[in-house]
Amino acid sequence: MKAYRSQEFKLIVTSGPTREWIDPVRYISNPSSGRTGYELARIGKSLFREVVYIAGYTEKPYKEVPEVKNISVDTTESMAEAVFNELEDNTLLIMAAAPADYTPADVYTQKIKKSEEEVIIRLKPTIDILKTIGTEKQKNYQKLLLVGFAAETNHLEVYAKEKLEKKNIHFICANQVYKTHMGFGDNENTVYIFDRWNQTHKIGPLKKDKVCMEIFHYLNQRISEIFDKI
């Protein structure tokens, strides 16, 4: 049986938030900085055959990773298209981005003028990128390894494991977020990695770059253990 070697794999990392436009000047998004995805792609350069960094609307320092293939996207739909185009055999996909879950059902072509009247915006779900790959596209590739992220405000383990199963992925990295606590944009983080084979591993609290190094250390070790089951 062939062993897992990360140097023989392509790494795709998504990063940052996407934007769903309401009108030409307003959009729905979230406060993800993009740092975790940036650090994963930066560290991954020395570990993988090739790295592709697909970034949404990140903070400026995390828009591009030197010496890798950089792809800039705006909406969740455009992020999905970029990821689908990069999939191939022997690939590790880490969806560290925080794409918007909803988009306006109707997009105004002109700026909505302020008035005294209430404005109601109807939302519809965006494409679930990882679920689409896990349930529809994964079967078309050999050794396509899928890692998701779950940023939750409560019931971390329950919601993370639900996503792991629903999206049919191999690993999920879960962390607690709230606007006044650790998580989004913060320098330190604690991550729990759950996998399809009921193993759990805690990393942190550590600086985000150290967390990302430990994520790769653990994933490489764990993938080697279960490689013949993938």
Side-chain angles (χ1 to χ4, degrees), residues 124-138:
K124 63 181 181 180
T126 56
I127 182 172
D128 188 325
I129 301 171
L130 205 45
K131 183 180 179 184
T132 301
I133 296 171
T135 59
E136 298 176 22
K137 296 182 178 292
Q138 187 175 194

PDB file of all heavy atoms in Angstrom, residues 124-138:
ATOM      1  N   LYS A 124     -31.418  34.341   0.160  1.00  0.00           N
ATOM      2  CA  LYS A 124     -31.459  32.932  -0.238  1.00  0.00           C
ATOM      3  C   LYS A 124     -30.090  32.316   0.047  1.00  0.00           C
ATOM      4  O   LYS A 124     -29.071  33.026   0.064  1.00  0.00           O
ATOM      5  CB  LYS A 124     -31.810  32.805  -1.727  1.00  0.00           C
ATOM      6  CG  LYS A 124     -30.790  33.432  -2.646  1.00  0.00           C
ATOM      7  CD  LYS A 124     -31.195  33.289  -4.106  1.00  0.00           C
ATOM      8  CE  LYS A 124     -30.140  33.906  -5.027  1.00  0.00           C
ATOM      9  NZ  LYS A 124     -30.510  33.786  -6.451  1.00  0.00           N
ATOM     10  N   PRO A 125     -30.004  31.002   0.284  1.00  0.00           N
ATOM     11  CA  PRO A 125     -28.724  30.370   0.611  1.00  0.00           C
ATOM     12  C   PRO A 125     -27.760  30.444  -0.574  1.00  0.00           C
ATOM     13  O   PRO A 125     -28.166  30.346  -1.729  1.00  0.00           O
ATOM     14  CB  PRO A 125     -29.103  28.914   0.913  1.00  0.00           C
ATOM     15  CG  PRO A 125     -30.570  28.919   1.140  1.00  0.00           C
ATOM     16  CD  PRO A 125     -31.130  30.044   0.335  1.00  0.00           C
ATOM     17  N   THR A 126     -26.477  30.617  -0.264  1.00  0.00           N
ATOM     18  CA  THR A 126     -25.443  30.517  -1.291  1.00  0.00           C
ATOM     19  C   THR A 126     -25.073  29.048  -1.472  1.00  0.00           C
ATOM     20  O   THR A 126     -25.491  28.186  -0.683  1.00  0.00           O
ATOM     21  CB  THR A 126     -24.181  31.299  -0.874  1.00  0.00           C
ATOM     22  OG1 THR A 126     -23.755  30.799   0.409  1.00  0.00           O
ATOM     23  CG2 THR A 126     -24.470  32.782  -0.770  1.00  0.00           C
ATOM     24  N   ILE A 127     -24.283  28.749  -2.466  1.00  0.00           N
ATOM     25  CA  ILE A 127     -23.817  27.384  -2.674  1.00  0.00           C
ATOM     26  C   ILE A 127     -22.942  26.954  -1.496  1.00  0.00           C
ATOM     27  O   ILE A 127     -22.129  27.739  -1.003  1.00  0.00           O
ATOM     28  CB  ILE A 127     -23.042  27.258  -4.011  1.00  0.00           C
ATOM     29  CG1 ILE A 127     -22.616  25.800  -4.236  1.00  0.00           C
ATOM     30  CG2 ILE A 127     -21.855  28.200  -4.068  1.00  0.00           C
ATOM     31  CD1 ILE A 127     -22.022  25.566  -5.622  1.00  0.00           C
ATOM     32  N   ASP A 128     -23.123  25.733  -1.007  1.00  0.00           N
ATOM     33  CA  ASP A 128     -22.258  25.157   0.038  1.00  0.00           C
ATOM     34  C   ASP A 128     -21.095  24.468  -0.690  1.00  0.00           C
ATOM     35  O   ASP A 128     -21.243  23.354  -1.213  1.00  0.00           O
ATOM     36  CB  ASP A 128     -23.050  24.159   0.886  1.00  0.00           C
ATOM     37  CG  ASP A 128     -22.258  23.679   2.099  1.00  0.00           C
ATOM     38  OD1 ASP A 128     -21.021  23.531   1.970  1.00  0.00           O
ATOM     39  OD2 ASP A 128     -22.870  23.467   3.155  1.00  0.00           O
ATOM     40  N   ILE A 129     -19.958  25.142  -0.734  1.00  0.00           N
ATOM     41  CA  ILE A 129     -18.836  24.668  -1.565  1.00  0.00           C
ATOM     42  C   ILE A 129     -18.358  23.294  -1.110  1.00  0.00           C
ATOM     43  O   ILE A 129     -18.217  22.370  -1.919  1.00  0.00           O
ATOM     44  CB  ILE A 129     -17.680  25.688  -1.504  1.00  0.00           C
ATOM     45  CG1 ILE A 129     -18.151  27.061  -1.989  1.00  0.00           C
ATOM     46  CG2 ILE A 129     -16.501  25.194  -2.341  1.00  0.00           C
ATOM     47  CD1 ILE A 129     -17.139  28.180  -1.767  1.00  0.00           C
ATOM     48  N   LEU A 130     -18.097  23.167   0.168  1.00  0.00           N
ATOM     49  CA  LEU A 130     -17.528  21.908   0.667  1.00  0.00           C
ATOM     50  C   LEU A 130     -18.530  20.755   0.581  1.00  0.00           C
ATOM     51  O   LEU A 130     -18.163  19.623   0.250  1.00  0.00           O
ATOM     52  CB  LEU A 130     -17.050  22.113   2.109  1.00  0.00           C
ATOM     53  CG  LEU A 130     -15.939  21.194   2.625  1.00  0.00           C
ATOM     54  CD1 LEU A 130     -14.808  21.019   1.637  1.00  0.00           C
ATOM     55  CD2 LEU A 130     -15.431  21.678   3.956  1.00  0.00           C
ATOM     56  N   LYS A 131     -19.787  21.043   0.847  1.00  0.00           N
ATOM     57  CA  LYS A 131     -20.809  19.994   0.746  1.00  0.00           C
ATOM     58  C   LYS A 131     -20.959  19.521  -0.704  1.00  0.00           C
ATOM     59  O   LYS A 131     -21.100  18.319  -0.974  1.00  0.00           O
ATOM     60  CB  LYS A 131     -22.147  20.506   1.271  1.00  0.00           C
ATOM     61  CG  LYS A 131     -23.241  19.444   1.268  1.00  0.00           C
ATOM     62  CD  LYS A 131     -24.552  20.003   1.805  1.00  0.00           C
ATOM     63  CE  LYS A 131     -25.646  18.943   1.764  1.00  0.00           C
ATOM     64  NZ  LYS A 131     -26.951  19.498   2.194  1.00  0.00           N
ATOM     65  N   THR A 132     -20.897  20.451  -1.633  1.00  0.00           N
ATOM     66  CA  THR A 132     -20.999  20.087  -3.051  1.00  0.00           C
ATOM     67  C   THR A 132     -19.834  19.172  -3.458  1.00  0.00           C
ATOM     68  O   THR A 132     -20.023  18.187  -4.175  1.00  0.00           O
ATOM     69  CB  THR A 132     -20.987  21.356  -3.926  1.00  0.00           C
ATOM     70  OG1 THR A 132     -22.085  22.185  -3.539  1.00  0.00           O
ATOM     71  CG2 THR A 132     -21.094  21.008  -5.402  1.00  0.00           C
ATOM     72  N   ILE A 133     -18.640  19.503  -2.970  1.00  0.00           N
ATOM     73  CA  ILE A 133     -17.480  18.657  -3.299  1.00  0.00           C
ATOM     74  C   ILE A 133     -17.603  17.305  -2.597  1.00  0.00           C
ATOM     75  O   ILE A 133     -17.397  16.253  -3.208  1.00  0.00           O
ATOM     76  CB  ILE A 133     -16.179  19.373  -2.894  1.00  0.00           C
ATOM     77  CG1 ILE A 133     -16.001  20.654  -3.706  1.00  0.00           C
ATOM     78  CG2 ILE A 133     -14.982  18.441  -3.104  1.00  0.00           C
ATOM     79  CD1 ILE A 133     -14.876  21.531  -3.231  1.00  0.00           C
ATOM     80  N   GLY A 134     -17.928  17.339  -1.296  1.00  0.00           N
ATOM     81  CA  GLY A 134     -17.976  16.107  -0.518  1.00  0.00           C
ATOM     82  C   GLY A 134     -19.036  15.130  -0.980  1.00  0.00           C
ATOM     83  O   GLY A 134     -18.833  13.912  -0.955  1.00  0.00           O
ATOM     84  N   THR A 135     -20.191  15.640  -1.418  1.00  0.00           N
ATOM     85  CA  THR A 135     -21.303  14.754  -1.767  1.00  0.00           C
ATOM     86  C   THR A 135     -21.443  14.505  -3.268  1.00  0.00           C
ATOM     87  O   THR A 135     -22.085  13.543  -3.672  1.00  0.00           O
ATOM     88  CB  THR A 135     -22.633  15.343  -1.251  1.00  0.00           C
ATOM     89  OG1 THR A 135     -22.835  16.637  -1.830  1.00  0.00           O
ATOM     90  CG2 THR A 135     -22.612  15.468   0.262  1.00  0.00           C
ATOM     91  N   GLU A 136     -20.851  15.379  -4.108  1.00  0.00           N
ATOM     92  CA  GLU A 136     -21.052  15.231  -5.550  1.00  0.00           C
ATOM     93  C   GLU A 136     -19.759  15.046  -6.343  1.00  0.00           C
ATOM     94  O   GLU A 136     -19.702  14.246  -7.270  1.00  0.00           O
ATOM     95  CB  GLU A 136     -21.785  16.465  -6.106  1.00  0.00           C
ATOM     96  CG  GLU A 136     -23.170  16.667  -5.510  1.00  0.00           C
ATOM     97  CD  GLU A 136     -23.826  17.939  -6.017  1.00  0.00           C
ATOM     98  OE1 GLU A 136     -23.416  18.423  -7.096  1.00  0.00           O
ATOM     99  OE2 GLU A 136     -24.728  18.458  -5.334  1.00  0.00           O
ATOM    100  N   LYS A 137     -18.706  15.777  -6.011  1.00  0.00           N
ATOM    101  CA  LYS A 137     -17.517  15.807  -6.856  1.00  0.00           C
ATOM    102  C   LYS A 137     -16.386  14.896  -6.378  1.00  0.00           C
ATOM    103  O   LYS A 137     -15.529  14.497  -7.156  1.00  0.00           O
ATOM    104  CB  LYS A 137     -16.987  17.253  -6.955  1.00  0.00           C
ATOM    105  CG  LYS A 137     -17.951  18.202  -7.647  1.00  0.00           C
ATOM    106  CD  LYS A 137     -17.368  19.595  -7.751  1.00  0.00           C
ATOM    107  CE  LYS A 137     -18.327  20.530  -8.483  1.00  0.00           C
ATOM    108  NZ  LYS A 137     -18.454  20.176  -9.907  1.00  0.00           N
ATOM    109  N   GLN A 138     -16.386  14.573  -5.075  1.00  0.00           N
ATOM    110  CA  GLN A 138     -15.268  13.827  -4.504  1.00  0.00           C
ATOM    111  C   GLN A 138     -15.030  12.490  -5.203  1.00  0.00           C
ATOM    112  O   GLN A 138     -13.894  12.059  -5.403  1.00  0.00           O
ATOM    113  CB  GLN A 138     -15.528  13.609  -3.009  1.00  0.00           C
ATOM    114  CG  GLN A 138     -14.372  12.982  -2.268  1.00  0.00           C
ATOM    115  CD  GLN A 138     -14.623  12.886  -0.767  1.00  0.00           C
ATOM    116  OE1 GLN A 138     -13.703  12.642  -0.013  1.00  0.00           O
ATOM    117  NE2 GLN A 138     -15.860  13.062  -0.322  1.00  0.00           N
TER     118      GLN A 138
END
